[in-house]
Amino acid sequence: MKRLLILGGGTAGTMMANKLAPVLEDSEWQITLVDQEETHYYQPGFLFIPFGIYNRNDVIKPKRDFFPPNTEAIISPIEEIQAAENRVKLTNGKVLKYDLLIIATGSQIAPQETEGLTGEGWHKNIFDFYTLKGAESLRQFLKFWDGGKMVVNIVEMPIKCPVAPLEFVFLADWYFTEQGIRDKVEIELVTPLPGAFTKPIAAKFLGQFLEKKNIRLTTDFNAARVDGVNNKLYSWDEKAIDYDLLVTIPTNMGADVIGKSGLGDDLNFIPTDKHTLQSKAHENIFVIGDATDLPSSKAGSVAHFEAEILFENVLRYIEGRPLKSAFDGHANCFIESGFGKGILIDFNYDVEPLPGKFPLPGVGPFSLLQETRMNHWGKMTFRWVYWNLLLKGAELPIEAQMSMAGKKRQ
Amino acid sequence: MATKTLAGKTIEVNDEGFLVNPDDWTEEMAPELAKEEGIDELTDQHWKIIRFIRQDFKEKGQIPTIRRIKNAGGVPIKDLYQLFPEGPVKKAAKIAGLGKPQGCV
């Protein structure tokens, strides 16, 4: 009996188990999935928690509900991946040999990487919203806040969901307006990027929204440390920004065990072939989702598109056929822009977000790089799609590879 | 493709002035490239970083990140910002004759 081992039962790992379980021969392959947590988090929902739109119950479900029945699921932290021996040691003492390994251990925030960030003000007037705890603490703070200067800072790239900080400031503008205190709140987005987003056309388009919503944008700011006593954020070249409330998007890193096992780069992301998703160091290891070092967005939609390619490559690998170099960096992101509207972007390694209609060319119902109510409904409906279709590995009416149909070059 | 003359040699550069082919680079070109970036004199510390990123690029095939220069090259990030103000990796890569560091997404 051979073993296909999946490390990580988040979005990517769960999708892979659900795609592979029905097609791998039970008598030949045992699928084993390891994760350290019982709970599956709908991470795109964290964004809505600080503003009281979602609460905890909207974003959690038991992981086991989504694992296929013929899969062995083990809840335990991982001690070490011993790639040279084709085995994984778990913290509970168990050793798992594998024939094929899929690593889907994701990324997490590492606020301890920035001096002073987890000091005095942490979860008092400094919050993250990339963890359920951070988002809930920020919710409590915002309930009683009567205004001041809110700074939203991206410490360094890459981060999970590069549009989330923008959505956060858009929603904050809406929320404070609803609360009747928008005139008492100053909102500033501070980023290491040269603009509002990574890609030029979208950066320009989204930059206009910031202006329209009276949100200040400070670019090229590389955060070095936080002085939590005096409420100041400093850059490496000693520029200082005052805040009353600091919402931080800390450094994102891959899982600690990746670093410990010698499989990662300086951020614990795994060097991975950007078209086949095979590990660069070991041919029987494949990597998917946020755990890779690919120059693509770290987002659930990317993991979803990768899953279709990886599914095929796992089967090809097992049958000894050449891998398909088919992953193109496709990402698709709804950007909540406040007041019941949203923006949609669709792009890949080579083509930046362009305007148009999606997914049906010329028809939609969604509009690319435009703000519409329908896009907002797409975003809100996506939670249902995520729990009921996406995690279960169902086919969605969107191609894994990006399509130029329906898009307009400017 | 644009070209420019550095240390008496004509070489290919992209529209932002980064060398197209890292093998065209010689150490004599570095001071001229540094001047374009507003650095008048290259000290031993500058050279330590330039040599590190060239060596690392040769071994790994990609320009090291600021974190890697700190971890593997042993240069504190604060020092990097003092030596190559504003965009340390971008400036150091340009002076070292490498391409523009891969942006993020």
Side-chain angles (χ1 to χ4, degrees), chain B residues 66-77:
Chain B
I66 198 158
R67 195 170 276 273
R68 180 156 172 85
I69 300 173
K70 182 187 78 165
N71 293 346
V75 186
I77 295 179

Side-chain angles (χ1 to χ4, degrees), chain A residues 58-343:
Chain A
D58 295 315
V59 298
I60 59 171
K61 283 188 196 286
K63 280 202 158 109
R64 283 180 193 278
D65 290 1
F66 299 93
F67 297 154
N70 52 350
T71 299
E72 176 192 24
I74 301 172
I75 302 295
S76 165
I78 303 157
E79 186 67 29
E80 198 186 358
I81 301 162
Q82 297 167 333
E85 279 88 34
N86 297 318
R87 67 183 184 207
V88 171
K89 218 174 130 190
L90 304 184
T91 306
N92 68 11
K94 208 173 158 99
V95 176
L96 299 168
K97 294 280 289 175
Y98 62 81
D99 295 277
L100 199 160
L101 179 66
I102 296 175
I103 303 181
T105 43
S107 71
Q108 59 198 11
I109 59 163
Q112 69 281 0
E113 289 289 310
T114 303
E115 186 188 330
L117 190 54
T118 54
E120 291 296 322
W122 185 245
H123 288 187
K124 291 194 190 85
N125 69 334
I126 302 176
F127 302 92
D128 72 279
F129 65 95
Y130 274 56
T131 59
L132 184 53
K133 187 161 179 268
E136 288 187 319
S137 308
L138 179 53
R139 171 70 199 134
Q140 286 308 313
F141 179 93
L142 287 180
K143 262 190 197 169
F144 303 105
W145 199 42
D146 48 19
K149 185 174 174 191
M150 180 177 85
V151 170
V152 178
N153 173 236
I154 301 166
V155 172
E156 67 181 297
M157 296 301 286
I159 57 166
K160 179 152 38 188
C161 191
V163 297
L166 281 166
E167 299 185 275
F168 187 89
V169 293
F170 292 156
L171 280 172
D173 167 64
W174 161 80
Y175 176 80
F176 294 128
T177 305
E178 290 280 297
Q179 300 297 305
I181 59 166
R182 182 63 182 93
D183 57 337
K184 295 190 184 68
V185 180
E186 206 184 315
I187 306 176
E188 181 172 352
L189 176 63
V190 179
T191 170
L193 296 169
F197 191 58
T198 50
K199 312 261 178 172
I201 294 175
K204 200 172 149 214
F205 178 80
L206 295 163
Q208 291 164 359
F209 275 83
L210 293 173
E211 230 168 273
K212 208 168 74 184
K213 293 174 191 286
N214 195 21
I215 296 163
R216 189 167 163 189
L217 175 66
T218 299
T219 60
D220 302 297
F221 186 98
N222 292 287
R225 66 179 203 278
V226 172
D227 175 351
V229 178
N230 298 303
N231 295 336
K232 276 179 194 293
L233 168 70
Y234 288 93
S235 67
W236 288 107
D237 46 7
E238 294 297 322
K239 285 180 274 186
I241 289 176
D242 292 303
Y243 63 83
D244 296 308
L245 163 61
L246 176 62
V247 177
T248 177
I249 294 91
T251 301
N252 278 215
M253 292 180 79
D256 293 339
V257 66
I258 301 302
K260 213 164 99 181
S261 308
L263 294 174
D265 63 13
D266 290 80
L267 286 168
N268 295 343
F269 294 125
I270 304 166
T272 305
D273 185 288
K274 70 180 200 172
H275 297 300
T276 65
L277 305 174
Q278 190 175 38
S279 142
K280 285 184 181 167
H282 304 274
E283 68 165 20
N284 64 341
I285 299 181
F286 291 83
V287 195
I288 180 169
D290 296 351
T292 73
D293 73 337
L294 301 194
S296 59
S297 289
K298 295 195 180 296
S301 69
V302 176
H304 167 71
F305 299 132
E306 286 172 344
E308 298 198 8
I309 310 291
L310 183 53
F311 169 69
E312 196 165 327
N313 274 344
V314 165
L315 298 183
R316 282 171 175 248
Y317 179 83
I318 286 172
E319 291 161 9
R321 289 186 290 141
L323 302 180
K324 203 169 157 186
S325 290
F327 184 63
D328 64 352
H330 190 189
N332 181 281
C333 314
F334 285 105
I335 304 169
E336 188 65 10
S337 55
F339 300 93
K341 292 184 183 173
I343 300 157

